């Protein structure tokens, strides 16, 4: 195998999805500890920032350099080269969070054992299923009182509509959490909490399930319960069908406790074994094989630097095939231009470094000479294909943009258009009034503050943001539909995007259903393929 193929083969590129506070940061940190990329817990950047109040966002933005670097973490573990894509949560939850999933080959879903599936997980999960990527579940915080394990599985199956296959099974939870039974080896790892500091892993004692000492350790009652539950599982749960796993139809489930570092390394090992190296991707010329095609990549995220002294933009691209060589020219398909990517950077744990080479599966950030848009393709000169575009996802918060100084219309339009192009906001116009009523839509409300700040500071435009009460937007599938011909739209706002596609804004799902019922043949979508 060539060196390039070997490098691609050992790559694993995934995102960790969860509802805020389920333990995504803690789990990521433990992975990094295992990879030797950091030495002590608590050093993953972004964690301290992850719970900031909205009013603090400017400080965060000033440090963009730092948060940029925490967008992707690369480290080695065993023979693997791991790329973890950060999916911002909390107030920073934005369309970027969805788009990052377009660059991942698989996802780890972290669920808080005491809560089950929560709102943000559902949204992120939907994007994963749309792409049919494998999803691995880590049920976290078993050291706290947890919901019944069968109930948790049931929750995942019914709320998310994916089959589950537990790889291991917990013995008790909270104060009575005794350990984890591995269904394949039939061994039990006994739980022993360790401090969360630098130590790599919790001390684990292993027993075979038939070992008399185990019964003594966990007590008659929990032992009996384990045997009973395992029998039930063996009889009732889905078999581990790797074909279904690879299509995202079945999720292998693991139990553990990230904070106490229990079950984390076992999970990481299984996960790396079960996931694949970078997969072929659909393009205008059919599937592009990561091993066969020379360098190609697509842009999935654009980040503007908030620091006035360096008002540059960084485009993040996921390499989809071959090897990136910083010395060579690449071809930007959408503009038809050849260029050398300037200052390509990659991230090793917290450090940003300029790289000369990178491989399929990796993510690099490059300076964007205001040329790139989200979804753009880069390949080698002589080749010309486009990767499938990145969908536009439905925003959930809307504001009317009122420009306070009408003399600055040009700057205002330039500002909102550029910020929309970076993907921070989406722009809509009133269906009738057109551009005289501009509406901005965002996935996370923090983006409104970013928008206002940037319009004022970068484009010199004072704006007032008038919140609209709608929380749901839907694209009308048939874009030739005349919205004025639809019935029962009293509580619905009719808008169009900047390309003229018709959309409807709703207050709740009940109204969406009512409109659908009253307009036969009408089809609505909560994302738009580009
Ligand atoms: P997130 O990135 O998904 O938002 O979650 P994060 O890892 O920040 O974890 C949220 C809280 O849950 C943290 O507590 C963290 O210590 C705790 N936590 C994570 N995993 C476990 C676990 O396995 N068991 C228990 N008991 N707790 C866990 P915090 O008090 O909010 O923050 P901190 O003061 O510990 O940093």
């Amino acid at each position: 195998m060539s060196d390039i193929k070997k490098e691609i083969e050992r790559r694993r590129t995934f995102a960790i999805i969860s509802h805020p506070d389920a333990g995504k940061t803690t789990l990521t940190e433990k992975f990094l500890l295992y990879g030797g990329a950091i030495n002590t817990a608590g050093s993953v950047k972004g964690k301290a920032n992850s719970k900031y109040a909205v009013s603090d966002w400017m400080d965060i933005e000033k440090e963009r350099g730092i948060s940029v670097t925490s967008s992707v973490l690369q480290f080695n573990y065993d023979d693997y080269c791991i790329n973890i894509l950060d999916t911002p949560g909390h107030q920073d939850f934005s369309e970027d969070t969805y788009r990052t999933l377009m660059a991942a080959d698989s996802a780890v879903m972290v669920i808080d054992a005491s809560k089950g599936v929560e709102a943000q997980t559902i949204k992120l999960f939907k994007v994963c299923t749309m792409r049919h990527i494998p999803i691995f579940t880590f049920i976290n915080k078993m050291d706290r009182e947890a919901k019944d394990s069968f109930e948790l599985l049931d929750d995942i199956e019914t709320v998310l509509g994916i089959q589950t296959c537990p790889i291991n099974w917990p013995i008790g939870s909270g104060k009575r959490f005794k350990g984890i039974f591995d269904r394949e080896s039939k061994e039990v790892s006994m739980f022993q909490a360790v401090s969360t500091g630098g130590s790599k892993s919790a001390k684990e004692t292993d027993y075979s399930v038939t070992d008399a000492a185990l019964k003594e350790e966990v007590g008659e009652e929990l032992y009996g319960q384990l045997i009973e539950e395992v029998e039930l599982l063996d009889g009732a749960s889905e078999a581990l069908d790797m074909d279904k796993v690879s299509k995202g139809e079945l999720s292998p489930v693991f139990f553990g406790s990230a904070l106490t570092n229990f079950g984390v390394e076992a999970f990481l090992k299984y996960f790396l074994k079960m996931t694949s190296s970078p997969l072929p991707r659909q393009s205008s010329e059919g599937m592009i094989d990561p091993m066969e095609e020379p360098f190609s990549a697509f842009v999935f995220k654009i980040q503007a630097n908030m620091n006035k002294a360096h008002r540059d933009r960084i485009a993040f691209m996921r390499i989809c095939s071959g090897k990136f060589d910083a010395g060579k020219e690449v071809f930007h398909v959408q503009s038809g231009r050849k260029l050398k990517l300037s200052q390509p950077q990659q991230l090793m744990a917290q450090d940003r470094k300029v790289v000369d080479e990178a491989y399929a599966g990796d993510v690099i950030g490059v300076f964007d000479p205001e040329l790139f848009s989200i979804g753009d393709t880069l390949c080698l000169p002589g080749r010309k294909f486009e990767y499938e575009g990145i969908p536009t996802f439905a925003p959930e918060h809307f504001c009317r943009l009122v420009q306070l100084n009408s003399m600055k219309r040009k700057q205002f339009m330039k500002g909102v258009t550029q910020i929309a192009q970076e993907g921070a906001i989406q722009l809509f116009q009133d269906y009738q009034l057109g551009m005289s009523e501009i509406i901005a839509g965002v996935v996370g409300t923090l983006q409104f503050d970013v928008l206002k700040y940037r319009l004022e500071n970068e484009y010199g435009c004072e704006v007032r943001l008038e919140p609209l009460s709608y929380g749901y937007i839907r694209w009308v599938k048939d874009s030739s539909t005349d919205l004025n011909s639809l019935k029962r739209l009293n509580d619905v706002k009719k808008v169009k995007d900047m390309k003229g596609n018709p959309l409807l804004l709703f207050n709740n799902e009940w109204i969406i259903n009512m409109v659908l019922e009253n307009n036969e043949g009408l089809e609505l979508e909560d994302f738009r393929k580009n």
Side-chain angles (χ1 to χ4, degrees):
M1 208 190 298
S2 76
D3 285 350
I4 296 183
K5 284 188 178 167
K6 260 189 217 151
E7 282 297 335
I8 299 175
E9 184 90 6
R10 71 187 197 94
R11 272 159 169 82
R12 296 291 182 277
T13 303
F14 61 94
I16 306 186
I17 62 173
S18 73
H19 191 81
D21 281 342
K24 186 180 63 133
T25 314
T26 312
L27 187 68
T28 307
E29 194 167 82
K30 298 296 150 117
F31 285 170
L32 292 178
L33 281 171
Y34 285 116
I38 55 170
N39 299 316
T40 50
S43 48
V44 172
K45 290 218 173 134
K47 182 165 168 71
N49 295 340
S50 63
K51 286 164 204 159
Y52 53 82
V54 173
S55 58
D56 294 342
W57 76 268
M58 262 172 47
D59 287 335
I60 309 299
E61 295 299 332
K62 274 190 221 141
E63 290 176 31
R64 257 314 176 199
I66 295 170
S67 73
V68 166
T69 62
S70 62
S71 315
V72 188
L73 297 163
Q74 187 183 67
F75 62 97
N76 289 292
Y77 175 76
D78 280 352
D79 285 334
Y80 298 102
C81 174
I82 299 170
N83 292 305
I84 302 184
L85 307 181
D86 186 30
T87 52
H90 297 273
Q91 284 94 335
D92 215 0
F93 190 63
S94 68
E95 225 189 319
D96 260 354
T97 313
Y98 294 141
R99 283 190 285 253
T100 298
L101 291 174
M102 307 306 288
D105 292 318
S106 61
V108 168
M109 175 164 75
V110 183
I111 287 177
D112 182 332
S114 67
K115 304 210 169 110
V117 178
E118 296 174 87
Q120 234 171 69
T121 313
I122 302 176
K123 291 181 202 166
L124 293 165
F125 178 86
K126 272 193 183 168
V127 181
C128 296
T129 45
M130 186 175 89
R131 292 200 49 225
H132 306 289
I133 57 172
I135 298 161
F136 294 79
T137 306
F138 186 79
I139 299 188
N140 190 29
K141 304 198 187 182
M142 288 308 298
D143 58 309
R144 291 228 184 118
E145 284 314 314
K147 279 187 170 181
D148 176 73
S149 305
F150 284 105
E151 245 177 70
L152 285 165
L153 295 186
D154 198 45
D155 197 26
I156 297 169
E157 300 208 347
T158 48
V159 178
L160 301 178
I162 185 172
Q163 294 176 339
T164 57
C165 175
I167 303 297
N168 57 29
W169 196 252
I171 308 174
S173 73
K175 288 200 181 77
R176 297 208 319 153
F177 182 46
K178 297 291 180 191
I180 279 168
F181 168 74
D182 184 299
R183 291 182 65 205
E184 193 185 53
S185 69
K186 311 251 182 270
E187 296 225 319
V188 170
S189 302
M190 296 298 292
F191 171 65
Q192 219 175 338
V194 288
S195 78
T196 55
S199 116
K200 260 180 90 166
S201 59
K203 256 206 224 139
E204 290 176 19
T205 326
D206 292 344
Y207 289 111
S208 159
V209 74
T210 50
D211 204 328
L214 173 68
K215 201 168 180 180
E216 201 153 299
E217 279 274 343
V218 303
E220 194 97 12
E221 190 199 332
L222 281 177
Y223 184 79
Q225 190 182 332
L226 171 70
I227 302 297
E228 207 175 289
E229 290 183 342
V230 167
E231 262 175 33
L232 205 65
L233 272 185
D234 290 346
S237 79
E238 293 293 329
L240 184 64
D241 178 339
M242 286 313 290
D243 188 45
K244 282 188 178 173
V245 172
S246 68
K247 291 183 192 143
E249 292 167 4
L250 183 142
S251 178
V253 177
F254 300 77
F255 292 83
S257 161
L259 185 68
T260 59
N261 215 346
F262 186 72
V264 175
E265 192 167 25
F267 169 61
L268 183 61
K269 278 189 193 301
Y270 259 111
F271 167 72
L272 292 172
K273 218 166 58 186
M274 286 186 198
T275 46
S276 73
S277 52
L279 294 168
R281 233 164 225 272
Q282 190 66 44
S283 81
S284 54
E285 283 186 7
M287 287 301 217
I288 300 291
D289 188 310
M291 306 271 192
E292 301 304 326
E293 176 75 25
F295 168 78
S296 71
F298 72 91
V299 177
F300 68 94
K301 172 171 169 164
I302 292 176
Q303 187 131 39
N305 196 332
M306 300 297 288
N307 185 338
K308 271 191 172 177
H310 314 273
R311 202 176 291 160
D312 41 16
R313 305 203 314 188
I314 292 180
F316 285 87
M317 51 189 74
R318 149 84 200 230
I319 302 175
C320 298
S321 66
K323 178 185 174 185
F324 166 72
D325 186 339
K328 283 192 184 152
E329 274 195 327
V330 299
F331 180 65
H332 176 234
V333 178
Q334 276 72 10
S335 69
R337 271 175 60 180
K338 278 191 235 167
L339 72 157
K340 265 194 195 164
L341 296 176
S342 148
Q343 297 200 23
Q345 316 166 17
Q346 208 175 31
L347 314 147
M348 279 288 227
Q350 304 107 299
D351 300 322
R352 183 189 336 201
K353 59 165 194 176
V354 172
V355 290
D356 296 326
E357 51 183 53
Y359 297 88
D362 292 344
V363 168
I364 51 171
V366 302
F367 277 101
D368 171 16
E370 298 205 4
L371 181 68
F372 302 130
S373 288
I374 283 169
D376 284 3
T377 302
L378 290 110
C379 50
L380 286 189
R383 296 288 283 144
K384 196 179 180 185
F385 58 85
E386 285 179 31
Y387 280 112
E388 262 191 327
I390 293 184
T392 307
F393 299 96
E396 293 171 24
H397 307 276
F398 302 89
C399 269
R400 189 179 289 120
L401 297 184
V402 182
Q403 195 191 340
L404 298 179
N405 181 349
S406 54
M407 299 296 282
K408 294 204 165 168
R409 184 72 182 169
K410 222 169 129 186
Q411 287 96 313
F412 169 76
M413 284 313 297
K414 185 173 172 213
V416 289
T417 311
Q418 279 191 348
I419 295 169
Q421 192 195 2
E422 286 164 18
I425 57 162
Q426 284 179 46
L427 289 179
F428 306 98
Q429 45 182 322
D430 183 85
Y431 193 64
Q432 245 90 33
L433 303 171
M435 297 294 267
S436 48
E437 185 183 316
I438 295 184
I439 293 163
V442 297
V443 172
T445 49
L446 182 72
Q447 300 303 332
F448 282 141
D449 300 313
V450 175
L451 172 67
K452 190 167 161 52
Y453 177 85
R454 290 190 56 191
L455 282 176
E456 281 167 15
N457 288 276
E458 284 178 37
Y459 301 92
C461 297
E462 297 276 330
V463 286
R464 190 172 65 233
L465 301 183
E466 295 178 353
L468 300 173
S469 64
Y470 309 98
Y472 298 79
I473 193 161
R474 295 291 179 266
W475 280 264
V476 177
K477 192 170 177 190
D478 175 1
S479 51
S480 65
T481 308
D482 176 6
L483 296 186
N484 293 325
S485 69
L486 298 179
K487 288 177 236 147
R488 301 295 292 271
L489 292 189
N490 330 2
D491 299 325
V492 180
K493 184 162 177 67
K494 292 175 274 186
V495 295
K496 51 189 178 187
D497 62 18
M498 290 301 152
K499 291 180 192 153
N501 295 311
L503 298 100
L504 296 170
L505 278 166
F506 304 90
N507 278 310
N508 56 51
E509 296 204 39
W510 185 84
I511 301 181
I512 300 180
N513 289 330
M514 201 263 297
V515 168
L516 285 171
E517 276 165 26
N518 282 280
N519 292 280
E520 216 188 310
L522 177 69
E523 284 184 76
L524 300 173
E525 292 177 324
D526 60 1
F527 66 90
R528 182 98 188 163
K529 280 204 165 169
N530 288 313

